[in-house]
Amino acid sequence: MNTYKKHLIGSAIAVSLFSSGAALAAVSAEEAAKLGNELTPIGAEKAGNGDEIPAWTGGLTSPPVEQPQQGIYPDPFPEDERLFVIDQSNVEEYKDRLSPGQVATIKAYDDYFIPVYQTRRTAAYPDFMMEKAIENATTVSLTPDGNGLQDYETGVPFPIPKSGVEVIFNHITRYRGGSIIRNVAQVTPQANGDFSPVKFTEHLTDRVALADYEPGQDDNVMFYFKQIITAPSRLAGNVLLVHETLNQVKEARRAWLYNSGQRRVRRAPQVAYDGPGTAADGQRTSDNLDLYNGAPDRYNWEMIGKKEMYIPYNSYRLGDQDLNYDDIIQPGHINPELTRYELHRVWHVRATLKDGERHIYAQRDFYVDEDSWQIAVVDHYDGRGQLWRVAEAHMVQGYDIGVPSYAAETLYDLLSGRYLVMGLTNEEDDPYTFGVKARSNEFTPAALRRAGVR
């Protein structure tokens, strides 16, 4: 077992991020005892619903099929047959198990549909992360202003959430594999389906996964993120560097941009909230990436409750290396024949813009998968209260490393008829590399020029 895992399992005392002010309490030991019993170690209901949702029995934690290489996931369920489809002819029948945005997307396109398959609860995390979630339940709390975490190091902070913002922090802080490099494409098709992909090499490392990690050093940072554009040539060499802080009100996200044409590094405070997303042609905000990221302080967060809902799940076919991007991208939406939806329990959280704050989204409704804490669907509303954009994350379980991930995330603009897809790997040679050894000096502004050399 590596030092990182030993440290997480053996740590009985979490690192305190903030020493002043009363914490918003964690759950009691009695309530935390449900974890690993009637609840999974990270807080989902173990039991099924007696019909369509099965019980959770540990998830998919080892390769059930031969993998051509790390980070490529052949479909472990190729024999599963489609149960039914939801389209314009029957969407009203199923709308209680869909978000308003999903219903609106179906109604907007004659050739769009949701194919439903049997539910398979494949989501799971490594044992050391599930043990950490159980520990966090009684030790981690929100800061008094609700914008950050106290006594937090890593893992799911709130396996038994008591508020909407706690659910969102579970998504923001979820384990992504420690230290990974991925090569992905982002596509923003025109209304007629024409597109030119923008390609990225992204390196994300949790602070506690650094080779030179020291407890207490830079301890308001959750992870370090470096994004290098590799294509097209007019953008190649531009680099974004982010130090993602846990409490971004106490200390704003640290972000820098390197422009390869100017050979200049500059601070980038606009890489936050509704600042424009990188090379996204205006089709997403900075905080749309990963369906939501960043500081929660501009919104009031309300936990609406749990519901059963059809969400993208086990989307291995969408990540098939035999597909080209032309097979996926269509006018208005991705090819629905390549998608898979299942019935799962989700947490419904509503964010409404605070008085006096500004953001292009006045309301956002999040639907968060209970088994992984990944956001599955988001409905976005404009300042007039009109449904505007609908985001979905097409989940896959990384069964070789025990980490849930996305085959792709989509963001449909119902007003313009355009959309964005992020995270495609079908045409990339080395989609994901896990267990990357990284040091803190790789994530400094001085390192940007080296990363951006074309």
Side-chain angles (χ1 to χ4, degrees):
M1 182 180 292
N2 64 34
T3 304
Y4 171 43
K5 293 183 181 179
K6 286 181 179 178
H7 176 77
L8 296 183
I9 294 173
S11 176
I13 303 175
V15 177
S16 178
L17 300 181
F18 307 98
S19 58
S20 61
L24 302 181
V27 303
S28 66
E30 292 75 18
E31 194 166 9
K34 297 177 182 178
L35 298 169
N37 293 301
E38 60 258 51
L39 300 179
T40 72
I42 67 164
E45 297 175 46
K46 267 191 178 180
N49 66 358
D51 185 10
E52 297 152 294
I53 300 176
W56 185 82
T57 57
L60 187 60
T61 56
S62 60
V65 292
E66 184 177 353
Q67 291 179 262
Q69 67 182 68
Q70 184 188 64
I72 294 178
Y73 299 103
D75 189 351
F77 313 116
E79 304 304 320
D80 283 2
E81 296 184 358
R82 185 184 299 175
L83 301 178
F84 58 91
V85 301
I86 305 173
D87 57 20
Q88 291 183 352
S89 70
N90 62 359
V91 66
E92 290 296 320
E93 178 183 349
Y94 293 102
K95 67 179 182 180
D96 290 344
R97 287 182 164 182
L98 299 169
S99 79
Q102 289 176 305
V103 172
T105 305
I106 291 172
K107 290 183 175 181
Y109 298 102
D110 294 339
D111 59 345
Y112 182 81
F113 58 87
I114 285 178
V116 178
Y117 291 76
Q118 74 177 91
T119 298
R120 294 185 179 272
R121 295 180 70 179
T122 52
Y125 288 100
D127 288 345
F128 66 93
M129 273 296 159
M130 292 195 284
E131 292 176 29
K132 191 64 180 175
I134 294 173
E135 177 186 321
N136 287 344
T138 56
T139 59
V140 177
S141 56
L142 292 171
T143 55
D145 61 7
N147 295 317
L149 305 179
Q150 294 187 136
D151 301 318
Y152 176 78
E153 188 176 47
T154 191
V156 174
F158 304 110
I160 305 177
K162 301 299 183 183
S163 65
V165 74
E166 290 183 353
V167 173
I168 296 302
F169 268 119
N170 286 347
H171 166 81
I172 290 172
T173 60
R174 72 194 189 283
Y175 182 62
R176 296 168 173 86
S179 184
I180 66 173
I181 291 176
R182 70 173 192 166
N183 293 295
V184 297
Q186 174 179 274
V187 177
T188 54
Q190 299 298 319
N192 63 1
D194 289 345
F195 68 93
S196 177
V198 177
K199 298 193 175 187
F200 302 93
T201 294
E202 298 181 334
H203 187 178
L204 183 146
T205 296
D206 293 340
R207 178 178 63 92
V208 296
L210 289 170
D212 54 347
Y213 166 65
E214 294 183 19
Q217 182 172 319
D218 215 12
D219 59 6
N220 191 33
V221 170
M222 178 171 56
F223 61 76
Y224 302 92
F225 176 73
K226 186 162 54 182
Q227 183 187 68
I228 306 167
I229 300 179
T230 58
S233 57
R234 62 183 174 82
L235 298 174
N238 292 344
V239 188
L240 167 66
L241 172 66
V242 172
H243 295 179
E244 187 72 348
T245 50
L246 277 165
N247 186 334
Q248 296 189 11
V249 175
K250 175 179 180 286
E251 180 186 13
R253 167 185 287 166
R254 310 170 197 160
W256 298 264
L257 285 170
Y258 171 69
N259 185 294
S260 61
Q262 300 174 349
R263 298 182 181 274
R264 178 186 174 194
V265 176
R266 57 184 175 83
R267 290 300 295 261
Q270 75 277 14
V271 181
Y273 302 110
D274 56 358
T278 304
D281 200 20
Q283 294 303 298
R284 70 169 172 85
T285 61
S286 287
D287 62 9
N288 273 141
L289 186 64
D290 198 34
L291 274 74
Y292 184 80
N293 70 85
D297 60 305
R298 293 190 180 181
Y299 289 96
N300 293 311
W301 299 88
E302 178 186 3
M303 183 188 287
I304 305 297
K306 266 191 183 179
K307 66 176 293 184
E308 295 177 358
M309 183 170 163
Y310 295 114
I311 59 175
Y313 224 87
N314 292 312
S315 305
Y316 295 98
R317 191 178 178 199
L318 188 59
D320 193 328
Q321 290 282 298
D322 290 333
L323 296 174
N324 295 318
Y325 297 146
D326 284 331
D327 299 319
I328 298 171
I329 305 303
Q330 295 184 345
H333 53 77
I334 63 173
N335 184 351
E337 292 284 354
L338 302 175
T339 63
R340 174 179 175 138
Y341 288 72
E342 301 177 0
L343 186 67
H344 287 261
R345 285 185 291 249
V346 298
W347 291 94
H348 180 189
V349 173
R350 177 168 295 154
T352 50
L353 196 62
K354 292 178 179 178
D355 291 341
E357 296 287 358
R358 64 165 301 276
H359 198 291
I360 64 171
Y361 303 134
Q363 178 180 313
R364 302 160 100 152
D365 281 72
F366 298 87
Y367 301 89
V368 185
D369 172 37
E370 70 163 352
D371 283 338
S372 65
W373 293 114
Q374 292 187 148
I375 297 172
V377 179
V378 190
D379 291 347
H380 303 77
Y381 296 81
D382 64 18
R384 300 166 297 175
Q386 184 174 2
L387 184 63
W388 181 3
R389 290 173 172 168
V390 182
E392 291 187 320
H394 293 261
M395 178 269 192
V396 293
Q397 173 68 12
Y399 42 67
D400 57 343
I401 58 165
V403 177
S405 185
Y406 298 149
E409 53 185 280
T410 58
L411 185 60
Y412 295 114
D413 189 322
L414 299 178
L415 301 185
S416 72
R418 294 188 63 191
Y419 69 104
L420 174 143
V421 187
M422 178 60 176
L424 293 173
T425 60
N426 311 76
E427 298 181 12
E428 311 311 310
D429 292 333
D430 297 301
Y432 282 83
T433 303
F434 298 96
V436 177
K437 300 299 183 183
R439 302 183 66 84
S440 55
N441 63 6
E442 297 177 48
F443 298 97
T444 63
L448 286 188
R449 291 184 180 86
R450 296 193 299 273
V453 173
R454 289 191 271 187

